[in-house]
Coordinates of all heavy atoms in Angstrom, one line a residue:
T1 N 114.1 106.8 97.8 CA 114.0 105.7 98.8 C 114.2 106.3 100.3 O 114.5 105.5 101.2 CB 115.0 104.6 98.6 OG1 116.3 105.2 98.6 CG2 114.7 103.9 97.2
L2 N 114.0 107.5 100.5 CA 114.1 108.1 101.8 C 113.0 107.8 102.7 O 113.1 107.7 103.9 CB 114.3 109.6 101.7 CG 115.7 110.1 101.3 CD1 115.7 111.6 101.2 CD2 116.8 109.6 102.3
M3 N 111.8 107.5 102.2 CA 110.6 107.3 103.0 C 110.8 106.0 103.8 O 111.2 104.9 103.2 CB 109.3 107.2 102.2 CG 108.1 107.0 102.9 SD 106.6 106.9 101.9 CE 106.9 105.5 101.0
I4 N 110.5 106.0 105.1 CA 110.6 104.8 105.9 C 109.3 104.0 105.8 O 108.2 104.5 106.0 CB 110.8 105.2 107.4 CG1 112.1 106.0 107.5 CG2 110.9 103.9 108.3 CD1 113.4 105.3 107.0
A5 N 109.4 102.7 105.5 CA 108.3 101.9 105.3 C 107.6 101.6 106.7 O 108.3 101.4 107.7 CB 108.7 100.6 104.7
P6 N 106.3 101.6 106.8 CA 105.7 101.2 108.0 C 105.9 99.7 108.4 O 106.0 98.9 107.5 CB 104.2 101.5 107.7 CG 104.0 101.4 106.2 CD 105.4 101.9 105.7
R7 N 106.0 99.4 109.6 CA 106.2 98.1 110.1 C 105.0 97.2 109.8 O 105.2 96.0 109.6 CB 106.5 98.0 111.6 CG 107.8 98.7 111.9 CD 109.0 98.0 111.3 NE 109.2 96.6 111.8 CZ 110.1 95.8 111.5 NH1 111.0 96.2 110.6 NH2 110.2 94.6 112.0
Q8 N 103.8 97.7 109.8 CA 102.6 97.0 109.6 C 102.3 97.0 108.1 O 102.1 98.1 107.5 CB 101.4 97.5 110.4 CG 101.6 97.5 111.9 CD 101.8 96.0 112.4 OE1 101.1 95.1 111.9 NE2 102.6 95.8 113.4
H9 N 102.2 95.8 107.5 CA 101.8 95.7 106.1 C 101.1 94.4 105.9 O 101.3 93.5 106.6 CB 103.0 95.9 105.2 CG 104.1 94.9 105.4 ND1 105.1 95.1 106.4 CD2 104.3 93.6 104.9 CE1 105.9 94.0 106.4 NE2 105.4 93.1 105.5
P10 N 100.3 94.3 104.8 CA 99.6 93.0 104.6 C 100.6 91.8 104.5 O 101.7 92.0 103.8 CB 98.9 93.2 103.3 CG 98.7 94.7 103.2 CD 99.9 95.3 103.9
A11 N 100.3 90.7 105.1 CA 101.2 89.6 105.0 C 101.4 89.1 103.6 O 102.4 88.4 103.3 CB 100.7 88.4 105.9
T12 N 100.4 89.3 102.7 CA 100.5 88.8 101.4 C 101.3 89.8 100.4 O 101.5 89.5 99.3 CB 99.1 88.6 100.8 OG1 98.4 89.8 100.9 CG2 98.4 87.5 101.6
A13 N 101.6 91.0 100.9 CA 102.2 92.0 100.1 C 103.7 92.0 100.2 O 104.3 91.4 101.1 CB 101.7 93.4 100.5
C14 N 104.4 92.6 99.2 CA 105.8 92.8 99.3 C 106.2 93.8 100.4 O 105.7 94.9 100.4 CB 106.4 93.3 98.0 SG 108.1 93.7 98.0
P15 N 107.0 93.4 101.4 CA 107.3 94.3 102.5 C 108.0 95.6 102.0 O 108.0 96.6 102.7 CB 108.2 93.5 103.4 CG 108.8 92.4 102.6 CD 107.7 92.2 101.5
Y16 N 108.7 95.6 100.9 CA 109.5 96.7 100.4 C 108.7 97.7 99.6 O 109.1 98.7 99.2 CB 110.7 96.3 99.7 CG 111.7 97.4 99.4 CD1 112.3 98.0 100.5 CD2 112.0 97.8 98.1 CE1 113.2 99.1 100.2 CE2 112.9 98.8 97.9 CZ 113.5 99.4 98.9 OH 114.4 100.5 98.7
A17 N 107.4 97.3 99.2 CA 106.6 98.1 98.3 C 106.5 99.5 98.7 O 106.5 100.4 97.8 CB 105.3 97.4 98.1
P18 N 106.2 99.9 100.0 CA 106.1 101.3 100.3 C 107.3 102.2 100.0 O 107.2 103.4 99.9 CB 105.7 101.3 101.8 CG 105.2 99.9 102.1 CD 106.0 99.0 101.1
R19 N 108.5 101.6 99.9 CA 109.7 102.3 99.6 C 110.2 102.2 98.2 O 111.2 102.8 97.8 CB 110.8 101.9 100.6 CG 110.5 102.1 102.1 CD 111.5 101.5 103.0 NE 112.8 102.1 102.9 CZ 113.9 101.7 103.6 NH1 113.7 100.7 104.5 NH2 115.1 102.3 103.4
C20 N 109.6 101.3 97.5 CA 110.2 100.9 96.2 C 109.8 101.8 95.1 O 108.6 102.1 94.9 CB 109.8 99.5 95.8 SG 110.5 98.8 94.3
P21 N 110.8 102.3 94.3 CA 110.4 103.2 93.2 C 109.8 102.5 92.0 O 109.2 103.1 91.1 CB 111.8 103.8 92.8 CG 112.8 102.8 93.2 CD 112.2 102.2 94.4
H22 N 109.8 101.1 92.0 CA 109.3 100.3 90.9 C 108.0 99.6 91.3 O 107.5 98.8 90.6 CB 110.3 99.3 90.4 CG 111.6 99.8 90.1 ND1 111.8 100.9 89.2 CD2 112.9 99.6 90.5 CE1 113.1 101.2 89.1 NE2 113.8 100.4 89.9
A23 N 107.4 99.9 92.5 CA 106.3 99.2 93.0 C 105.1 99.4 92.1 O 104.8 100.5 91.6 CB 105.9 99.6 94.4
Q24 N 104.3 98.3 91.9 CA 103.1 98.3 91.1 C 102.0 97.6 91.9 O 102.2 97.1 93.0 CB 103.3 97.7 89.7 CG 104.4 98.4 88.9 CD 104.6 97.9 87.5 OE1 103.6 97.4 86.9 NE2 105.8 97.9 87.0

């Protein structure tokens, strides 16, 4: 979880997905 998530992400997506080890 060291990667910093970008501030811009789709409004319909989970905001934590870019950092999440369980993202699908």
Side-chain angles (χ1 to χ4, degrees):
T1 57
L2 281 176
M3 182 179 65
I4 302 300
R7 294 295 296 180
Q8 297 297 326
H9 58 273
T12 57
C14 173
Y16 191 64
R19 298 173 64 178
C20 183
H22 307 304
Q24 300 185 32

